[in-house]
């Protein structure tokens, strides 16, 4: 029989999570722990902390603090996982995952519809001897066709940034289970408020905490969550020193040891605290911004000066039915193209509410021309392969009033 706590909504558990994990002196929020070193009463425990036999306490802040540990527990609960490691940025989380679990000679199958910096990172790891095939992840057949004997991992995003393609998440998850592959799903655009990748068999879930989860554009952070679904015992790239205890913890232990201790991509306690506070309003923000984004997308789609709108919850979107079946509600991310691409700069300069800036998942609407900015380095060939038109405009919808936002776009387009 389930307890009342087992049936609570995500929003309820999230705002009370600090108290569940224990808060010093009865405080409502976990405090900011600034200590770098952590002492032990017995030298045996200090030795055990280094050798992995002592599970309590903290050693050195590069591997985590009580404040970052509280945030990790919160993200684990949000994603329905078994453990989380936090990093200083979302890219730090992705880089640590790839560089600690893959080796020269391995092969990665990745969606070609990924964040520009992630795409750039794929180029970096290719230079280290890890082969990468970028495929149309909207089709499980394309993923299956790319798998080789040396394939170790498949990497996809839930909703692609910026063109909003939706990967065939469930079918890819089934494929990875059958082939024994690590299935990494970047959940940044949806967040656990809309979708839990564990439901489609993800092994590891990535979140750029900077975006939807923190939500206020004032803190950088990233996280890797292990869902507990992957059996790490036959995975060949786990170092012998980490093959101890329950195999379910081996992958995340290696990511923590190599990604934090060795590579130093540590999240500070101050940033962890800010992210944790921001996350408390996650479901409310996502509900509001998704509603406004849908209204704006519908309005733009009918406007005579707009050539195309890319938003998964429009019936015109190629993966509309898939998005409806997978995600709890809409999304705050959309992109569109003008009939006259040469007017793009003029239109954007006439907008007064959307801030002309990079970044996503903020409380304020952010807008950016994609090709000449965040995907400029990728080049025209790569942009074409990703479905990114040279005149594509990305919109991250914020908490402004729906009518005010649409009125601003109407004035700019007029």
């Amino acid at each position: 029989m389930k307890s009342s706590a087992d049936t609570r909504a995500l929003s309820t558990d999230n705002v009370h999570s600090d108290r569940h994990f224990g808060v010093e002196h009865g405080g409502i929020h976990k405090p900011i722990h600034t200590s770098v070193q952590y002492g032990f009463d017995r030298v045996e425990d200090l030795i055990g902390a280094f050798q992995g036999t002592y599970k309590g306490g903290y050693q050195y802040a590069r591997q985590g603090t009580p404040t970052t540990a509280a945030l990790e527990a919160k993200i684990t609960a949000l994603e329905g996982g078994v453990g989380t490691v936090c990093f200083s940025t979302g890219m730090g989380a992705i880089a640590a995952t790839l560089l600690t679990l893959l080796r020269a000679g391995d092969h990665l199958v990745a969606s070609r519809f990924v964040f520009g910096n992630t795409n750039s990172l794929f180029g970096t790891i290719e230079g280290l001897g890890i082969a990468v095939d970028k495929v149309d992840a909207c089709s499980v057949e394309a993923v299956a066709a790319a798998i080789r004997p040396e394939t170790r991992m498949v990497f996809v995003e839930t909703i692609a940034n910026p063109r909003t393609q939706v990967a065939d998440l469930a079918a890819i998850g089934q494929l990875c289970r059958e082939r024994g592959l690590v299935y990494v799903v970047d959940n940044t655009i949806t967040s656990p408020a809309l979708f839990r990748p564990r439901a489609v068999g993800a092994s590891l879930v990535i979140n750029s905490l900077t975006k939807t989860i923190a939500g206020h554009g004032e803190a950088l952070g990233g996280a890797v969550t292990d869902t507990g679904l992957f059996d790490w015992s036959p995975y060949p790239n786990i170092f012998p020193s980490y093959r101890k205890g329950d195999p379910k913890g081996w992958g995340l232990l290696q990511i923590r040891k190599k990604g934090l201790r060795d590579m130093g991509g540590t999240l500070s306690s101050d940033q962890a605290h800010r992210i944790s506070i921001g996350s408390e309003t996650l479901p409310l923000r996502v509900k509001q911004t998704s509603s406004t984004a849908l209204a704006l997308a519908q309005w733009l789609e009918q406007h005579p000066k707009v050539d195309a709108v890319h938003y998964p919850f429009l019936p015109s979107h190629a993966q509309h039915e898939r998005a409806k079946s997978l995600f709890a509600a809409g999304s705050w991310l959309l992109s569109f193209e003008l009939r006259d691409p040469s007017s793009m700069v003029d239109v954007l300069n006439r907008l007064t509410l959307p801030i002309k800036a990079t970044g996503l998942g903020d409380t304020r609407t952010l807008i950016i021309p994609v090709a000449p900015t965040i995907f400029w380095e990728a080049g025209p060939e790569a942009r074409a392969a990703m479905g990114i038109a040279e005149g594509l405009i990305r919109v991250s919808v914020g908490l402004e009033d729906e009518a005010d936002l649409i009125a601003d776009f109407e004035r700019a387009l007029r």
Side-chain angles (χ1 to χ4, degrees), residues 123-299:
T124 300
I125 67 171
E126 284 182 297
L128 300 175
I130 299 165
V132 181
D133 272 330
K134 291 177 272 192
V135 303
D136 180 357
C138 298
S139 161
V140 68
E141 290 80 13
V143 175
I147 292 173
R148 311 175 191 172
E150 62 271 25
T151 304
R152 296 279 178 258
M153 181 183 291
V154 175
F155 183 103
V156 302
E157 295 177 354
T158 51
I159 299 177
N161 163 28
R163 243 304 250 105
T164 73
Q165 297 96 332
V166 180
D168 196 353
L169 295 165
I172 296 171
Q174 180 61 35
L175 175 68
C176 289
R177 278 193 296 273
E178 293 169 358
R179 304 292 183 90
L181 302 175
V182 178
Y183 184 25
V184 182
V185 179
D186 189 324
N187 198 29
T188 296
I189 302 301
T190 34
S191 84
L194 294 178
F195 179 63
R196 279 180 170 175
R198 191 183 194 281
V200 293
S203 313
L204 299 171
V205 180
I206 305 284
N207 277 286
S208 172
L209 303 175
T210 313
K211 313 297 194 304
T212 325
I213 290 180
H216 294 80
E218 64 163 9
L220 289 169
V224 184
T225 300
D226 192 322
T227 63
L229 298 178
F230 187 76
D231 181 7
W232 294 99
S233 55
Y235 191 69
N237 294 353
I238 299 297
F239 287 82
S241 56
Y242 305 138
R243 291 181 175 273
K244 298 173 183 175
D246 187 352
K248 282 189 176 181
W250 292 356
L252 208 60
L253 176 63
Q254 183 156 303
I255 291 171
R256 182 181 295 278
K257 292 292 187 180
K258 297 298 181 183
L260 287 185
R261 185 196 63 192
D262 295 359
M263 299 178 188
T266 308
L267 178 68
S268 73
S269 291
D270 178 72
Q271 297 288 278
H273 180 77
R274 290 171 182 270
I275 292 165
S276 184
I277 298 300
S279 75
E280 293 183 357
T281 59
L282 170 65
L284 299 175
R285 286 185 283 105
V286 167
K287 181 179 179 181
Q288 179 63 43
T289 54
S290 296
S291 174
T292 302
L294 175 60
L296 178 61
Q298 290 170 333
W299 183 87

Side-chain angles (χ1 to χ4, degrees), residues 10-11 13-19 21 23 27-32 67-68 70-72 74-75 78 86 209-220 267-285 363 399:
L10 176 146
S11 56
D13 267 342
N14 193 34
V15 296
H16 289 284
S17 63
D18 280 355
R19 296 192 301 116
F21 308 133
V23 185
I28 293 175
H29 297 294
K30 194 74 175 177
I32 302 172
T67 311
T68 58
L71 177 62
E72 288 172 347
K74 179 174 284 196
I75 303 302
L78 284 170
C86 282
L209 303 175
T210 313
K211 313 297 194 304
T212 325
I213 290 180
H216 294 80
E218 64 163 9
L220 289 169
L267 178 68
S268 73
S269 291
D270 178 72
Q271 297 288 278
H273 180 77
R274 290 171 182 270
I275 292 165
S276 184
I277 298 300
S279 75
E280 293 183 357
T281 59
L282 170 65
L284 299 175
R285 286 185 283 105
T363 52
L399 293 175

Side-chain angles (χ1 to χ4, degrees), residues 22-37:
V23 185
E24 294 85 332
H25 312 298
I28 293 175
H29 297 294
K30 194 74 175 177
I32 302 172
H33 287 265
T34 58
S35 292
V36 173
Q37 290 87 9

Side-chain angles (χ1 to χ4, degrees), residues 389-401:
E390 294 302 294
L392 188 70
I393 298 167
R394 186 186 73 185
V395 186
S396 170
V397 176
L399 293 175
E400 297 91 350
D401 180 81

